[in-house]
Amino acid sequence: MTKLITIAALFITSLFFGQGKYEEGMGKAFQLWKEGSNTEASAMFERIASAEKDNWLPNYYVALVNVTTAFTTQDKDKLSALLNKAQDAVDVELAKAPENPELLVVQAMIYTAWIVYDPMANGRKYGSKASEVYEKAIKIAPENPRVVFCKAEFEIGGAKFWGTDIKPMCAEVDRAIGLFATYKNDTKFAPSWGLDRALETQAACKK
């Protein structure tokens, strides 16, 4: 009995130790990202993902860091490297959880980044793919503020390109802002971004 208790105690201690290392690593990765060290942040999230194979969040942030960085470059080689890394990370997690709405949002963002880089070459190829992903995400999580906002933002871009009315999408941006105020996620390090961009888009809608 004593031996069993000792083994149990060691197991529990190892769980807490492991959790502590995970939280420490995630915190460091977020700090690097906040400081603008995107490459280093991505590498840190990748190391955590390799150790936390049952946790989708590290790979989610590998993808998010790289896709958001991709929106800031017009260098084709750099953009391709960033988006390929983001895609690889998303593929790993979507294979395990194909209906995770947060992962679907990032997948749609990857398609959007390709479109933004070269609308004429990539618009037709990736536009329908992004729309399909957003439609899937909104059916799964109609009250998720990132799903609602990012879908609306993507559709606003398309409407402006084609010269159509953006009012319905702006109404969805308003709805997303309300959802940001009430949406709860109890998982530590779960996605919480998007409100600032939604407010900026709301202000642009009113001009």
Side-chain angles (χ1 to χ4, degrees):
M1 179 63 72
T2 302
K3 185 177 180 181
L4 287 174
I5 292 171
T6 302
I7 292 171
L10 288 171
F11 177 70
I12 292 168
T13 300
S14 69
L15 285 179
F16 279 113
F17 179 76
Q19 186 69 8
K21 295 290 284 185
Y22 165 71
E23 293 188 0
E24 180 184 342
M26 290 290 281
K28 184 175 181 180
F30 280 115
Q31 184 62 36
L32 287 167
W33 193 12
K34 183 179 179 181
E35 293 169 357
S37 301
N38 296 358
T39 302
E40 293 80 1
S42 176
M44 177 66 72
F45 285 126
E46 285 183 77
R47 288 196 291 274
I48 299 168
S50 67
E52 298 279 336
K53 296 187 184 301
D54 294 329
N55 187 339
W56 64 276
L57 285 168
N59 264 328
Y60 168 84
Y61 285 111
V62 171
L64 190 63
V65 169
N66 283 281
V67 72
T68 53
T69 305
F71 280 106
T72 67
T73 183
Q74 281 294 305
D75 182 292
K76 185 176 182 180
D77 291 338
K78 183 178 180 182
L79 179 119
S80 294
L82 290 165
L83 293 182
N84 288 338
K85 185 177 286 290
Q87 188 66 67
D88 287 345
V90 167
D91 285 345
V92 169
E93 300 306 328
L94 279 178
K96 294 181 282 187
E99 295 195 346
N100 182 320
E102 302 286 1
L103 292 170
L104 291 172
V105 166
V106 178
Q107 176 64 81
M109 289 172 66
I110 293 170
Y111 293 146
T112 305
W114 283 114
I115 297 168
V116 169
Y117 171 69
D118 191 339
M120 297 305 294
N122 296 330
R124 180 171 295 186
K125 180 179 180 181
Y126 291 109
S128 60
K129 289 184 177 182
S131 294
E132 288 171 8
V133 172
Y134 278 129
E135 288 299 331
K136 180 178 180 179
I138 203 76
K139 288 177 182 176
I140 295 166
E143 303 302 313
N144 182 302
R146 273 164 300 284
V147 172
V148 176
F149 167 63
C150 290
K151 180 176 183 291
E153 184 184 43
F154 174 76
E155 291 173 351
I156 286 172
K160 286 181 175 179
F161 182 81
W162 296 108
T164 55
D165 189 9
I166 65 170
K167 287 181 181 178
M169 300 83 163
C170 288
E172 282 295 276
V173 172
D174 293 339
R175 186 168 80 88
I177 290 169
L179 291 172
F180 275 112
T182 59
Y183 189 77
K184 302 294 182 185
N185 196 322
D186 296 331
T187 305
K188 191 164 187 179
F189 304 120
S192 61
W193 59 271
L195 178 59
D196 289 349
R197 277 176 52 195
L199 290 170
E200 290 174 3
T201 304
Q202 183 186 57
C205 278
K206 294 179 178 178
K207 289 182 179 178

